[in-house]
Amino acid sequence: MDYPTPAYFRQSVGEQLLAHYAERDVVRHRTPLLPIRWPSLRSLFRRHCMRDQKAV
């Protein structure tokens, strides 16, 4: 098991979390919120519209 170095314990909690937040931001910025291709978007909205029409 890897134990933290003594320097790690001298850091404030905010400084300890900076590396975690930087990695998380990279993932969040690279992950698309919607499918990139137009056919994928059309099928997504078509399914949504059909579900709404069936509910009425």
Side-chain angles (χ1 to χ4, degrees), residues 1 24-25 28 32 40 47:
M1 181 173 187
R24 186 183 70 174
D25 283 344
R28 288 176 61 208
S40 300
R47 275 186 273 139

Side-chain angles (χ1 to χ4, degrees), residues 2 6 28 33 39:
D2 293 332
R28 288 176 61 208
L33 296 177

Side-chain angles (χ1 to χ4, degrees), residues 5-55:
T5 62
Y8 177 82
F9 291 112
R10 287 193 296 270
Q11 294 175 331
S12 67
V13 174
E15 288 175 315
Q16 294 172 5
L17 291 173
L18 285 177
H20 165 71
Y21 290 144
E23 291 173 8
R24 186 183 70 174
D25 283 344
V26 169
V27 172
R28 288 176 61 208
H29 290 287
R30 288 189 181 173
T31 305
L33 296 177
L34 292 172
I36 294 174
R37 298 178 316 145
W38 282 108
S40 300
L41 282 172
R42 274 193 304 243
S43 66
L44 175 71
F45 288 117
R46 188 176 301 129
R47 275 186 273 139
H48 182 69
C49 291
M50 293 173 97
R51 189 179 61 211
D52 287 346
Q53 289 174 355
K54 288 179 183 177

